mmCIF file of all heavy atoms in Angstrom:
data_model
loop_
_atom_site.group_PDB
_atom_site.id
_atom_site.type_symbol
_atom_site.label_atom_id
_atom_site.label_comp_id
_atom_site.label_asym_id
_atom_site.label_seq_id
_atom_site.Cartn_x
_atom_site.Cartn_y
_atom_site.Cartn_z
ATOM 1 N N THR B 62 -16.157 -20.916 -31.703
ATOM 2 C CA THR B 62 -17.231 -20.723 -32.660
ATOM 3 C C THR B 62 -17.176 -19.288 -33.168
ATOM 4 O O THR B 62 -17.196 -18.347 -32.364
ATOM 5 C CB THR B 62 -18.621 -20.969 -32.026
ATOM 6 O OG1 THR B 62 -18.707 -22.322 -31.583
ATOM 7 C CG2 THR B 62 -19.729 -20.714 -33.057
ATOM 8 N N ALA B 63 -17.070 -19.136 -34.469
ATOM 9 C CA ALA B 63 -17.122 -17.809 -35.070
ATOM 10 C C ALA B 63 -18.521 -17.592 -35.623
ATOM 11 O O ALA B 63 -19.156 -18.523 -36.111
ATOM 12 C CB ALA B 63 -16.084 -17.692 -36.187
ATOM 13 N N GLN B 64 -18.966 -16.354 -35.503
ATOM 14 C CA GLN B 64 -20.289 -16.000 -36.003
ATOM 15 C C GLN B 64 -20.168 -14.777 -36.902
ATOM 16 O O GLN B 64 -19.466 -13.831 -36.545
ATOM 17 C CB GLN B 64 -21.236 -15.699 -34.829
ATOM 18 C CG GLN B 64 -21.436 -16.863 -33.878
ATOM 19 C CD GLN B 64 -22.239 -16.479 -32.648
ATOM 20 O OE1 GLN B 64 -22.036 -15.426 -32.072
ATOM 21 N NE2 GLN B 64 -23.154 -17.360 -32.248
ATOM 22 N N LEU B 65 -20.832 -14.823 -38.033
ATOM 23 C CA LEU B 65 -20.788 -13.704 -38.978
ATOM 24 C C LEU B 65 -22.198 -13.274 -39.330
ATOM 25 O O LEU B 65 -23.038 -14.091 -39.667
ATOM 26 C CB LEU B 65 -20.037 -14.125 -40.254
ATOM 27 C CG LEU B 65 -20.015 -13.135 -41.411
ATOM 28 C CD1 LEU B 65 -19.382 -11.796 -41.009
ATOM 29 C CD2 LEU B 65 -19.305 -13.738 -42.613
ATOM 30 N N ASN B 66 -22.425 -11.971 -39.262
ATOM 31 C CA ASN B 66 -23.698 -11.389 -39.672
ATOM 32 C C ASN B 66 -23.374 -10.230 -40.606
ATOM 33 O O ASN B 66 -23.022 -9.127 -40.154
ATOM 34 C CB ASN B 66 -24.479 -10.906 -38.447
ATOM 35 C CG ASN B 66 -25.855 -10.372 -38.800
ATOM 36 O OD1 ASN B 66 -26.031 -9.742 -39.850
ATOM 37 N ND2 ASN B 66 -26.838 -10.608 -37.951
ATOM 38 N N LYS B 67 -23.464 -10.475 -41.889
ATOM 39 C CA LYS B 67 -23.060 -9.472 -42.862
ATOM 40 C C LYS B 67 -24.034 -8.297 -42.901
ATOM 41 O O LYS B 67 -23.642 -7.158 -43.165
ATOM 42 C CB LYS B 67 -22.934 -10.087 -44.254
ATOM 43 C CG LYS B 67 -21.766 -11.057 -44.372
ATOM 44 C CD LYS B 67 -21.607 -11.580 -45.789
ATOM 45 C CE LYS B 67 -20.421 -12.535 -45.885
ATOM 46 N NZ LYS B 67 -20.249 -13.052 -47.263
ATOM 47 N N ALA B 68 -25.300 -8.550 -42.639
ATOM 48 C CA ALA B 68 -26.282 -7.474 -42.641
ATOM 49 C C ALA B 68 -25.957 -6.447 -41.547
ATOM 50 O O ALA B 68 -26.093 -5.240 -41.739
ATOM 51 C CB ALA B 68 -27.693 -8.024 -42.454
ATOM 52 N N SER B 69 -25.520 -6.939 -40.402
ATOM 53 C CA SER B 69 -25.153 -6.065 -39.284
ATOM 54 C C SER B 69 -23.677 -5.707 -39.272
ATOM 55 O O SER B 69 -23.224 -4.937 -38.400
ATOM 56 C CB SER B 69 -25.537 -6.735 -37.957
ATOM 57 O OG SER B 69 -26.926 -7.002 -37.908
ATOM 58 N N GLN B 70 -22.918 -6.287 -40.206
ATOM 59 C CA GLN B 70 -21.471 -6.042 -40.287
ATOM 60 C C GLN B 70 -20.803 -6.358 -38.970
ATOM 61 O O GLN B 70 -20.089 -5.525 -38.389
ATOM 62 C CB GLN B 70 -21.214 -4.610 -40.760
ATOM 63 C CG GLN B 70 -21.724 -4.364 -42.165
ATOM 64 C CD GLN B 70 -21.585 -2.920 -42.631
ATOM 65 O OE1 GLN B 70 -22.579 -2.294 -42.993
ATOM 66 N NE2 GLN B 70 -20.382 -2.420 -42.630
ATOM 67 N N TYR B 71 -21.035 -7.570 -38.527
ATOM 68 C CA TYR B 71 -20.662 -7.985 -37.179
ATOM 69 C C TYR B 71 -20.069 -9.384 -37.219
ATOM 70 O O TYR B 71 -20.590 -10.277 -37.882
ATOM 71 C CB TYR B 71 -21.945 -7.957 -36.339
ATOM 72 C CG TYR B 71 -21.849 -8.420 -34.925
ATOM 73 C CD1 TYR B 71 -21.574 -7.522 -33.913
ATOM 74 C CD2 TYR B 71 -22.095 -9.743 -34.583
ATOM 75 C CE1 TYR B 71 -21.526 -7.927 -32.597
ATOM 76 C CE2 TYR B 71 -22.043 -10.153 -33.280
ATOM 77 C CZ TYR B 71 -21.770 -9.249 -32.281
ATOM 78 O OH TYR B 71 -21.723 -9.650 -30.977
ATOM 79 N N VAL B 72 -18.944 -9.522 -36.521
ATOM 80 C CA VAL B 72 -18.288 -10.821 -36.413
ATOM 81 C C VAL B 72 -18.025 -11.077 -34.933
ATOM 82 O O VAL B 72 -17.639 -10.141 -34.213
ATOM 83 C CB VAL B 72 -16.940 -10.856 -37.160
ATOM 84 C CG1 VAL B 72 -16.429 -12.283 -37.281
ATOM 85 C CG2 VAL B 72 -17.064 -10.244 -38.533
ATOM 86 N N SER B 73 -18.202 -12.297 -34.494
ATOM 87 C CA SER B 73 -17.911 -12.592 -33.101
ATOM 88 C C SER B 73 -17.157 -13.914 -32.987
ATOM 89 O O SER B 73 -17.140 -14.709 -33.925
ATOM 90 C CB SER B 73 -19.185 -12.638 -32.267
ATOM 91 O OG SER B 73 -19.986 -13.737 -32.664
ATOM 92 N N LEU B 74 -16.535 -14.093 -31.833
ATOM 93 C CA LEU B 74 -15.824 -15.335 -31.536
ATOM 94 C C LEU B 74 -16.212 -15.751 -30.126
ATOM 95 O O LEU B 74 -16.100 -14.960 -29.189
ATOM 96 C CB LEU B 74 -14.313 -15.140 -31.616
ATOM 97 C CG LEU B 74 -13.471 -16.385 -31.293
ATOM 98 C CD1 LEU B 74 -13.615 -17.434 -32.409
ATOM 99 C CD2 LEU B 74 -12.004 -16.016 -31.108
#
Side-chain angles (χ1 to χ4, degrees):
Chain B
T62 298
Q64 299 173 318
L65 174 60
N66 184 324
K67 291 184 180 180
S69 301
Q70 296 175 238
Y71 176 91
V72 192
S73 66
L74 180 70

